[in-house]
Amino acid sequence: DAGVIQSPRHEVTEMGQEVTLRCKPISGHNSLFWYRQTMMRGLELLIYFNNNVPIDDSGMPEDRFSAKMPNASFSTLKIQPSEPRDSAVYFCASSFRDLGLAGGRLARHEQYFGPGTRLTVT
Amino acid sequence: EDQVTQSPEALRLQEGESSSLNCSYTVSGLRGLFWYRQDPGKGPEFLFTLYSAGEEKEKERLKATLTKKESFLHITAPKPEDSATYLCAVQFQGAQKLVFGQGTRLTINP
């Protein structure tokens, strides 16, 4: 079974350009998360979706960042315009949230991560 | 503010030398604590979930334990292939998102 798929794996762009990162979650998962990882700040949650609906975008740095999930098998994270401080590794993760056990211990919330996209903005 | 702190930042061991990594958290209500392993250039790989104090999980040379304020990842007789960064993450009551610690970079020398 394929894991979380991200593309591209590496992206080098110039400041001011638009960048689009793509993610395909694990089939059957209904939650999707976008993270950013840097040496200084570690792994930070940017935004997450349940059933394709954005739930919490409080981690999105600013209006230059936007994320969409048009269907259960695809999501994008867009940065426009990009800046050098956006250079980082961006991870997508997915999980299965059992809505029938609303917060119960048996609900499985493990998140499975993709390989990441290393973004360099010059 | 809810926080997750891992220690030490880095740990270097000889092959076969057992040790423990620590993850402490300050949170009003814990829903779950997760351990991940991350190899260079890869995404975090899920290892364990712990839900309540006293719970333990094992996988090969790794054993994770949980108390009310911290979790330990015990590594018994480690091998060089256990070298990686180990991340812990906490999920709070009423929330779905995870808050990650900064990780412990573990190096096992042959």
Side-chain angles (χ1 to χ4, degrees), chain B residues 13-17 77-81 108-110:
Chain B
L13 301 172
Q14 290 298 121
E15 184 173 1
E17 181 184 0
K79 298 181 178 181
E81 54 262 42
I108 309 298
N109 295 318

Side-chain angles (χ1 to χ4, degrees), chain A residues 31 33 94-98 101-112, chain B residues 31 34 36 46 49 51 91 95-96 98:
Chain A
S31 294
F33 305 80
S94 70
S95 71
F96 175 71
R97 178 167 176 256
D98 187 341
L101 290 171
R105 179 181 303 181
L106 295 179
R108 295 180 62 84
H109 293 283
E110 299 94 32
Q111 295 178 20
Y112 295 88
Chain B
R31 187 176 197 178
F34 302 78
Y36 286 83
F46 170 73
T49 309
Y51 290 108
Q91 186 177 41
Q96 188 178 350
L98 300 181

Side-chain angles (χ1 to χ4, degrees), chain B residues 23-79:
Chain B
C23 172
S24 64
Y25 56 92
T26 56
V27 62
S28 53
L30 179 72
R31 187 176 197 178
L33 186 141
F34 302 78
W35 281 99
Y36 286 83
R37 167 190 172 130
Q38 186 174 24
D39 293 296
K42 296 189 176 182
E45 175 190 347
F46 170 73
L47 294 174
F48 304 110
T49 309
L50 301 167
Y51 290 108
S52 57
E55 189 173 359
E56 297 183 355
K57 293 276 181 72
E58 283 190 70
K59 180 179 180 180
E60 296 182 356
R61 295 176 292 281
L62 300 177
K63 183 169 80 171
T65 61
L66 181 65
T67 71
K68 287 189 176 179
K69 295 200 172 179
E70 59 190 349
S71 176
F72 292 94
L73 185 65
H74 307 278
I75 302 177
T76 302
K79 298 181 178 181

Side-chain angles (χ1 to χ4, degrees), chain A residues 64-114:
Chain A
R64 297 185 297 106
F65 285 69
S66 63
K68 294 183 179 180
M69 191 164 186
N71 57 62
S73 59
F74 184 66
S75 177
T76 59
L77 178 67
K78 185 177 294 186
I79 308 173
Q80 165 64 18
S82 58
E83 297 183 2
R85 60 191 165 125
D86 301 330
S87 297
V89 181
Y90 291 80
F91 289 104
C92 175
S94 70
S95 71
F96 175 71
R97 178 167 176 256
D98 187 341
L99 300 177
L101 290 171
R105 179 181 303 181
L106 295 179
R108 295 180 62 84
H109 293 283
E110 299 94 32
Q111 295 178 20
Y112 295 88
F113 284 75

Side-chain angles (χ1 to χ4, degrees), chain A residues 1-94:
Chain A
D1 189 17
V4 175
I5 298 172
Q6 291 187 247
S7 64
R9 292 297 312 278
H10 302 274
E11 177 81 37
V12 181
T13 190
E14 291 184 348
M15 183 174 63
Q17 296 298 306
E18 178 179 295
V19 175
T20 299
L21 311 181
R22 297 172 176 79
C23 175
K24 177 179 170 55
I26 292 172
S27 178
H29 281 188
N30 53 10
S31 294
L32 183 139
F33 305 80
W34 281 102
Y35 289 88
R36 178 171 67 177
Q37 187 175 41
T38 61
M39 288 293 292
M40 288 297 294
R41 300 176 66 89
L43 200 57
E44 301 175 285
L45 178 67
L46 300 177
I47 185 172
Y48 76 92
F49 298 81
N50 282 343
N51 295 314
N52 314 336
V53 176
I55 302 301
D56 184 350
D57 65 354
S58 59
M60 296 286 262
E62 49 198 271
D63 292 344
R64 297 185 297 106
F65 285 69
S66 63
K68 294 183 179 180
M69 191 164 186
N71 57 62
S73 59
F74 184 66
S75 177
T76 59
L77 178 67
K78 185 177 294 186
I79 308 173
Q80 165 64 18
S82 58
E83 297 183 2
R85 60 191 165 125
D86 301 330
S87 297
V89 181
Y90 291 80
F91 289 104
C92 175
S94 70

